[in-house]
Amino acid sequence: MVAACVLATLYLGAGNWETVQRFFGEHLRTNPAPAGTCPAKVARSISGDGPVNLVAAYRTSQHDVIICRTGTSRFYYHGEVTGNPGSAMDLPARKTAKGYLAVNGSYTYEVRGRRIIVSRSGQVIGDYRGRPFKP
């Protein structure tokens, strides 16, 4: 982020304020800042890694999706049907160039910005638009 600020400052000197505003505005919309501590319901399923921080939380029309990171920089995906905590699943995840990816057998759960893409055996079975929420 520091490098981005330095580059933005240099770019501003060249009279490109609108371009810089667009970049940072889009970055903040698609990559929300961590919002603090991971919810207890998720942190309980992650053991032995010190503090667990919230990376992102999105609510779609049907699901709540939460990404958390441990003190040793391991990522976890929590997904559940909105309003049905019995449907919850917690999976190890990894950071990718486009977001986060969790795998459960033949199912994959990918978080790309505000999109949550669910695939089974390589075929997309759900593509949801999420909105940030505070869990």
Side-chain angles (χ1 to χ4, degrees), residues 116-128:
I116 293 88
I117 302 162
V118 181
S119 300
R120 181 175 183 215
S121 300
Q123 300 237 339
V124 173
I125 59 172
D127 190 341
Y128 306 94

Side-chain angles (χ1 to χ4, degrees), residues 11-129:
Y11 204 67
L12 280 174
N16 295 305
W17 175 242
E18 291 82 19
T19 303
V20 172
Q21 283 181 310
R22 271 195 313 275
F23 168 78
F24 282 107
E26 180 63 24
H27 178 76
L28 292 174
R29 276 192 301 279
T30 60
N31 299 295
T37 304
C38 192
K41 66 182 178 181
V42 180
R44 278 192 297 270
S45 69
I46 302 169
S47 62
D49 273 343
V52 182
N53 294 309
L54 180 64
V55 174
Y58 297 105
R59 180 166 281 157
T60 73
S61 60
Q62 302 174 31
H63 307 97
D64 290 350
V65 172
I66 298 168
I67 302 291
C68 293
R69 182 180 67 214
T70 68
T72 57
S73 295
R74 287 197 279 184
F75 292 93
Y76 288 86
Y77 171 99
H78 171 88
E80 67 182 62
V81 174
T82 303
N84 183 1
S87 68
M89 95 179 123
D90 296 303
L91 302 168
R94 64 180 171 87
K95 188 161 180 42
T96 68
K98 295 180 181 180
Y100 302 91
L101 181 69
V103 178
N104 186 16
S106 62
Y107 289 87
T108 60
Y109 304 89
E110 186 174 6
V111 179
R112 287 189 202 167
R114 293 182 179 191
R115 287 176 63 202
I116 293 88
I117 302 162
V118 181
S119 300
R120 181 175 183 215
S121 300
Q123 300 237 339
V124 173
I125 59 172
D127 190 341
Y128 306 94
R129 179 69 58 188

